[in-house]
């Protein structure tokens, strides 16, 4: 059995990866995201390992009410949890290896 994730940074990264999957599932949304970030489809996977990139994924989702609502519904998260995840990813004090 997997150990539950309790580190806020890890939880925030998981939310951002879910958001990236949500974006990638819609070709129009993905195209807009790639155009805005300047990242190509070939570098998307490697970029996902970068905390700044994950923060930009949540920025993209949070900038539009309809997108936030759609992602919240798809991920079964409350929009405030999505915003909290973005805040954690932008805070340098939340280190990944802190218990």
């Amino acid at each position: 059995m997997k150990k539950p994730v309790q580190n806020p940074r890890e939880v925030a990264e998981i939310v951002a990866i879910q958001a990236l999957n949500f974006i990638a599932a819609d070709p129009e949304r993905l195209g807009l995201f790639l155009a805005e970030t300047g990242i190509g489809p070939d570098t998307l996977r490697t970029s996902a390992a970068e905390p700044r990139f994950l923060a930009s994924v949540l920025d993209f989702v949070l900038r539009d009410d309809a997108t936030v609502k759609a992602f919240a519904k798809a991920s079964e998260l409350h929009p405030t949890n999505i915003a909290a995840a973005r805040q954690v990813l932008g805070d340098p004090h939340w280190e990944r290896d802190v218990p």
Side-chain angles (χ1 to χ4, degrees):
M1 177 179 240
K2 266 184 116 172
K3 181 180 160 186
V5 178
Q6 296 181 1
N7 179 302
R9 181 68 177 214
E10 287 183 58
V11 172
E13 289 175 356
I14 291 168
V15 171
I17 295 295
Q18 288 176 326
L20 183 57
N21 288 331
F22 169 78
I23 292 167
D26 180 309
E28 186 177 329
R29 190 177 286 135
L30 178 60
L32 183 59
F33 177 74
L34 294 176
E36 288 184 14
T37 60
I39 292 176
D42 53 328
T43 58
L44 190 59
R45 189 175 299 263
T46 57
S47 298
E50 298 293 324
R52 282 187 174 165
F53 175 76
L54 293 177
S56 73
V57 169
L58 293 180
D59 285 338
F60 180 83
V61 169
L62 289 166
R63 72 186 183 134
D64 175 62
D65 284 343
T67 305
V68 173
K69 288 177 184 176
F71 174 58
K73 182 177 180 180
S75 63
E76 298 181 357
L77 292 170
H78 193 277
T80 57
N81 295 109
I82 300 165
R86 173 56 185 97
Q87 185 175 0
V88 168
L89 288 176
D91 187 345
H93 292 53
W94 286 111
E95 294 299 325
R96 186 176 191 147
D97 58 351
V98 174

